[in-house]
Amino acid sequence: MVLATYNIKGGVGKTSAAVNLAYLAARDGASTLLWDLDPQGASTYLLRVKPKIKGGGRRLVRGKSNPETRIKGTDYERLDLLPADFSYRHMDLHLDATKRPTRRLAQVLKPLTPEYEFVFLDCPPSISLVSESVFEAADALLIPLLPAALSARTLDHIDDVARDGTQKLPFFSMVDSRKRMHRDLMQSFAEQRPEMLHTVVPLAADVERMGQTRAPLEEFAPRGGAAVAFRELWKEIRERLGA
Ligand SMILES: Nc1ncnc2c1ncn2[C@@H]1O[C@H](COP(=O)(O)OP(=O)(O)OP(=O)(O)O)[C@@H](O)[C@H]1O
Ligand SMILES: [Mg+2]
């Protein structure tokens, strides 16, 4: 099953979700791969891997290098990483030069999927050929949303561009439940959007600390509210996917 953390907007919690959820999947016993598609390589950094693909991103995306040999192990059992590469900043161009651009990422993943129960795609914030290729490759989009009025429009835009066959699982991220506005917004959202996950990821210093510890929450703050939320979120996602 291929799950992409996706949003058009940047800085909403895509990478934090990808790293923590992939970690939990692996810890549950599932062989798991995380493909860091963002040239900035944040999830590669958090998992302590060198942000480099031998031969570059162009060859990988065009099917000219074997993805299996580009995969790195992480410090965690059953969790592997296909790292970011700075050349991914040109991925749109590389895809555009192929025959079926939107099929490419799915094609690259094809030989890998039998080996992994879950593949996570950590996407760069954009709406582009890369996103279209992600939509074709993914069974579901995990969409972190800020509790802000504009998020409703963001979700409408994602609905417009993503394929109907791709399940969308939006959830609230960076929530300050002391704020009345956050609570009100979340309530009205839930009424209009039955697909919203019920679990909410709180605004928590622990998540920011991941940048210093370079580790998933479970490794350094398993009892904190953020770790609890991600465990609950993963459980809810699995239930919704029947996985
Ligand atoms: N729940 C949270 N509470 C507090 N800080 C958070 C939370 N989630 C993410 N952050 C912080 O916000 C910043 C952006 O988070 P993250 O990298 O997960 O978002 P992103 O959507 O992947 O960003 P980008 O679009 O740049 O890839 C990071 O510094 C991260 O530590
Ligand atoms: Mg990111």
Side-chain angles (χ1 to χ4, degrees):
M1 184 157 275
V2 181
L3 308 174
T5 54
Y6 176 76
N7 194 319
I8 300 164
K9 278 172 74 75
V12 295
K14 298 180 294 294
T15 296
S16 306
V19 168
N20 286 299
L21 297 174
Y23 175 96
L24 289 168
R27 203 185 61 175
D28 277 0
S31 57
T32 304
L33 176 71
L34 171 57
W35 186 359
D36 185 355
L37 288 167
D38 190 338
Q40 294 181 92
S43 47
T44 303
Y45 177 84
L46 292 174
L47 291 170
R48 303 175 183 235
V49 174
K50 207 164 105 187
K52 186 116 194 73
I53 289 277
K54 194 166 161 250
R58 180 167 174 267
R59 287 178 57 82
L60 179 70
V61 163
R62 301 191 70 173
K64 299 280 195 284
S65 50
N66 179 355
E68 265 165 292
T69 62
R70 304 310 191 255
I71 290 172
K72 305 286 179 196
T74 68
D75 294 343
Y76 313 110
E77 221 178 319
R78 291 180 294 276
L79 179 58
D80 289 345
L81 180 80
L82 190 51
D85 188 282
F86 194 48
S87 64
Y88 286 174
R89 70 192 185 282
H90 301 308
M91 198 181 277
D92 266 353
L93 298 173
H94 300 154
L95 288 172
D96 204 25
T98 65
K99 243 194 234 146
R100 314 272 302 261
T102 61
R103 281 270 186 88
R104 270 325 305 163
L105 296 187
Q107 289 297 117
V108 174
L109 283 173
K110 213 172 177 182
L112 305 175
T113 36
E115 290 177 41
Y116 293 101
E117 229 167 298
F118 292 104
V119 176
F120 286 82
L121 307 176
D122 186 16
C123 301
S126 67
I127 184 152
S128 61
L129 208 45
V130 177
S131 344
E132 279 182 63
S133 200
V134 163
F135 302 151
E136 279 216 34
D139 297 298
L141 303 181
L142 311 176
I143 308 168
L145 289 178
L146 300 183
L150 265 176
S151 294
R153 286 191 57 196
T154 303
L155 209 46
D156 288 341
H157 288 147
I158 296 173
D159 273 343
D160 288 345
V161 290
R163 300 184 318 158
D164 293 339
T166 315
Q167 196 171 359
K168 282 149 223 135
L169 299 175
F171 63 92
F172 284 110
S173 169
M174 302 195 197
V175 171
D176 183 348
S177 51
R178 289 169 308 183
K179 283 194 183 158
R180 176 84 199 258
M181 197 194 70
H182 282 193
R183 293 199 308 269
D184 290 351
L185 261 162
M186 290 194 300
Q187 196 183 342
S188 71
F189 238 87
E191 284 159 12
Q192 289 155 30
R193 289 279 188 169
E195 74 270 35
M196 279 306 287
L197 293 166
H198 299 294
T199 312
V200 157
V201 176
L203 185 73
D206 281 349
V207 182
E208 289 178 83
R209 279 173 57 212
M210 286 174 64
Q212 278 154 359
T213 58
R214 296 181 74 181
L217 288 164
E218 292 291 324
E219 290 285 318
F220 68 94
R223 277 182 285 277
V228 172
F230 276 110
R231 286 199 293 274
E232 192 55 40
L233 185 65
W234 180 232
K235 192 168 151 241
E236 194 184 0
I237 290 168
R238 287 192 81 152
E239 280 165 11
R240 282 281 281 276
L241 296 171

